[in-house]
Amino acid sequence: SFLKFQVPTSQMPGIHTFYDGSKILEPLAETVGIEVDRVNFVLSLFASFGISYIYQKTCSLKQVNRQVRTVIPAVVGLSLVFFCFGRAIKHLLANALGSYAIMYFAPPTQVHKIVMAFSMGYLFFIHTYRWMILDTYSLDVTGPIMVAVEKVTMMAFNLKDGKVKDESKLTEEQRKEALKEIPSLLEFMSFMFNFQTVLSGPANNYYDYVKFLDEKHLIANKNGKMPSPTGVAMTKFYQALGFLAIVVTLGGRYKVEDVGTKEYFDLPMYQWFFWWFITIFFIRCAYYFAWVFADAICNMSGFGFSGYDKEGNAEWKLCTNVLPYQVEMAQSLKETLDGWNIQTGFWLRKVGYERAPKSIRTVATYSLSAVWHGVSIGYYMAFFTCGLFTVAAQTFRRSMRWRFLDNVDKKFAYDIFSFIISKIALAYATYSFVTMHMYPAYDVLKRVYFIPHIVAFAVIFILPKVFKPLKKTQPAKIEKEIIDEKQIKQE
């Protein structure tokens, strides 16, 4: 971006602000052709997975006391952060400990606002400073800070709920998570920096983490047997390895930024579209790897149990941050987003949507999400487009879907159409997000004449006038008839 300061790396101010990680693996990084920051990060995740198994087998309350069970995750987590980011860890610590001091000294009635302002303000400063002086993306300490901000702001709201608010005015979830007292510094450090979540999340609630430390998080099944996390953790581990293989073999060779270059613009349009879609998919695979692996790490340590399904099978969804199959096979943009960065969605709901005045809830939540992500213009282009497409999809669904529910074949055709449109919308809306900057995103969208934007506006403002939406009471009846007809055919 022409607005950014062009500063040579060797003279870059604040060189330790973002990345000052270990260089010990540089020979390996050069051999495999991957940047050392990524090598450090990936190997730290593998180390965390092994440590989580050891922790599960050796750090139960039958083997160690509560203090040891609490301190080990924090010590290991901070060691991994220091290995990955070096002296840049100071910003992670300053943000978290500053927020803890605020919770300790601030009036209970205002603690949530002050912690939110401080932690988000610190993160926004880091985002802005990073944008001003860095020209290339790297895995740096801003990621762990973002996760830490989610954790500490949820804790501040929980503290306010427990100390100030009338219980009758709290939701069931808020009552469950409310804090009557500030956690000890040791428990706070363990919650904020545990090795299971410090590098790539997810941001869980303090209530759930303390239940895990107290070993009150598991419930016996109907046979009286406690669920074991090892099997599900290994399954997620193998899934993560599959995504890593895609990223290493294909993601490194085909860059999403290349889609906006003249070489790719000269390709036939259908080939260009193919590379647009596939490079975006490779980017998603990198997120799938990190988040599914993080889920596996949490589960292997024993953290993440969420109950039993209808068949009595144990579920480990408490730390699940992405549902790759749902994202890839979704028939709507909303369904796609519901399976993406799930825990951050919970955070936005808990500290944004549910807390803001009803008149500005949506705007406040989107604004919080935008500031949390950073200041790169590509993010804001993506947020605007996703918001527009979401409204357009809701409008289209109300106006058109009911017209296809009187026949199974018509419903199937509608589902196929929705699937294809959702994939196009996802690639179009997220290109600016993954490239972060105005260019090449603007050039890529311009090459298709911004047609998806134009269609979205037309759907919102013109379609309902031509095809009237159905009244709310009728779809359920029609949908039941479709289900009955489908069951008859199957019989």
Side-chain angles (χ1 to χ4, degrees):
S1 175
F2 67 91
L3 292 174
K4 297 172 79 172
F5 297 120
Q6 303 298 317
V7 182
T9 302
S10 60
Q11 301 174 15
M12 185 178 71
I15 191 169
H16 305 303
T17 294
F18 311 105
Y19 185 82
D20 184 37
S22 172
K23 304 294 185 183
I24 194 172
L25 296 177
E26 271 193 338
L28 174 61
E30 292 173 0
T31 301
V32 298
I34 300 175
E35 294 87 345
V36 69
D37 59 319
R38 286 164 171 78
V39 172
N40 286 347
F41 179 79
V42 170
L43 291 185
S44 292
L45 290 181
F46 277 96
S48 297
F49 189 70
I51 294 168
S52 66
Y53 180 77
I54 297 171
Y55 183 81
Q56 179 207 147
K57 295 298 182 182
T58 64
C59 292
S60 72
L61 291 179
K62 294 179 181 178
Q63 299 162 296
V64 298
N65 61 38
R66 174 63 155 70
Q67 191 169 13
V68 172
R69 182 171 167 81
T70 303
V71 75
I72 287 177
V75 171
V76 174
L78 288 172
S79 299
L80 291 172
V81 172
F82 187 76
F83 173 75
C84 286
F85 309 115
R87 282 172 283 179
I89 195 176
K90 62 179 179 272
H91 295 289
L92 180 64
L93 291 169
N95 197 346
L97 294 176
S99 297
Y100 184 80
I102 291 170
M103 286 190 287
Y104 195 85
F105 293 108
T109 55
Q110 303 299 320
V111 64
H112 58 305
K113 296 179 182 178
I114 302 174
V115 168
M116 175 70 81
F118 172 78
S119 61
M120 285 295 294
Y122 199 122
L123 175 62
F124 187 75
F125 162 73
I126 293 294
H127 275 318
T128 304
Y129 192 49
R130 179 180 185 274
W131 178 83
M132 290 172 62
I133 67 175
L134 294 187
D135 291 311
T136 58
Y137 176 78
S138 65
L139 281 167
D140 58 44
V141 77
T142 53
I145 293 176
M146 291 168 72
V147 174
V149 165
E150 291 181 279
K151 291 181 179 182
V152 78
T153 49
M154 280 194 291
M155 178 179 283
F157 275 93
N158 294 340
L159 193 62
K160 191 243 183 177
D161 289 342
K163 284 195 165 189
V164 176
K165 294 193 77 172
D166 184 349
E167 280 195 24
S168 63
K169 296 182 180 179
L170 298 176
T171 66
E172 183 178 346
E173 181 182 56
Q174 289 169 352
R175 280 195 295 271
K176 180 185 74 173
E177 297 174 353
L179 292 174
K180 297 293 185 181
E181 299 294 336
I182 301 170
S184 69
L185 182 59
L186 177 60
E187 288 192 340
F188 176 80
M189 295 290 283
S190 185
F191 168 63
M192 294 295 294
F193 305 123
N194 62 78
F195 69 89
Q196 297 101 312
T197 63
V198 70
L199 289 177
S200 57
N204 296 108
N205 195 281
Y206 178 74
Y207 168 83
D208 295 315
Y209 185 70
V210 168
K211 283 185 67 177
F212 163 69
L213 292 179
D214 290 334
E215 294 189 344
K216 297 178 180 178
H217 60 301
L218 298 178
I219 302 173
N221 62 18
K222 58 186 178 182
N223 298 321
K225 186 178 179 181
M226 288 294 185
S228 171
T230 305
V232 69
M234 290 305 300
T235 299
K236 292 175 182 179
F237 174 73
Y238 293 136
Q239 290 175 358
L241 288 184
F243 293 123
L244 178 62
I246 294 173
V247 173
V248 171
T249 57
L250 298 172
R253 187 182 307 173
Y254 304 106
K255 305 288 188 182
V256 70
E257 293 84 0
D258 294 341
V259 175
T261 63
K262 185 179 185 304
E263 178 185 355
Y264 278 74
F265 280 169
D266 291 340
L267 293 172
M269 187 64 77
Y270 73 91
Q271 289 187 20
W272 182 67
F273 276 129
F274 170 79
W275 287 115
W276 183 351
F277 286 112
I278 201 67
T279 53
I280 288 280
F281 170 70
F282 293 154
I283 291 290
R284 289 201 298 275
C285 283
Y287 284 95
Y288 293 157
F289 161 70
W291 286 340
V292 173
F293 204 166
D295 195 6
I297 292 167
C298 289
N299 293 166
M300 186 58 86
S301 71
F303 186 36
F305 176 73
S306 56
Y308 294 92
D309 62 18
K310 293 179 180 179
E311 285 73 41
N313 300 312
E315 293 187 314
W316 295 79
K317 297 180 178 180
L318 195 64
C319 301
T320 297
N321 207 31
V322 69
L323 299 171
Y325 182 82
Q326 178 176 319
V327 172
E328 297 302 327
M329 302 304 295
Q331 295 179 17
S332 69
L333 189 59
K334 180 186 182 302
E335 189 180 353
T336 301
L337 297 177
D338 285 345
W340 181 264
N341 208 355
I342 296 168
Q343 301 301 327
T344 293
F346 291 159
W347 170 70
L348 289 169
R349 172 177 61 80
K350 290 178 179 181
V351 307
Y353 189 83
E354 291 181 351
R355 308 290 181 163
K358 289 184 178 180
S359 59
I360 61 167
R361 275 181 171 177
T362 301
V363 173
T365 305
Y366 271 101
S367 300
L368 176 62
S369 178
V371 174
W372 180 78
H373 275 93
V375 299
S376 296
I377 193 169
Y379 293 155
Y380 294 86
M381 293 170 64
F383 291 141
F384 168 76
T385 304
C386 283
L388 176 68
F389 285 0
T390 299
V391 175
Q394 292 170 344
T395 304
F396 186 89
R397 181 183 175 88
R398 287 196 301 268
S399 297
M400 300 302 297
R401 185 173 183 271
W402 66 273
R403 304 172 191 275
F404 293 81
L405 296 180
D406 59 345
N407 179 276
V408 174
D409 295 331
K410 287 168 65 176
K411 173 65 165 56
F412 179 73
Y414 178 90
D415 290 342
I416 295 297
F417 174 78
S418 298
F419 173 79
I420 294 172
I421 293 300
S422 296
K423 297 307 107 181
I424 294 173
L426 181 63
Y428 183 89
T430 58
Y431 187 82
S432 60
F433 185 93
V434 297
T435 55
M436 296 174 62
H437 305 303
M438 172 73 81
Y439 298 98
Y442 180 82
D443 293 331
V444 168
L445 304 189
K446 181 181 177 182
R447 190 168 189 238
V448 294
Y449 307 105
F450 302 99
I451 289 175
H453 276 105
I454 296 169
V455 170
F457 279 114
V459 166
I460 293 171
F461 295 107
I462 299 176
L463 185 70
K465 297 180 180 179
V466 179
F467 297 95
K468 301 294 184 183
L470 188 67
K471 293 181 180 179
K472 293 183 178 180
T473 55
Q474 299 182 35
K477 180 180 178 182
I478 296 175
E479 191 130 24
K480 184 178 184 303
E481 291 174 358
I482 288 292
I483 293 171
D484 293 340
E485 181 180 345
K486 193 178 294 184
Q487 289 174 342
I488 291 171
K489 284 191 174 184
Q490 289 174 348
E491 294 171 356

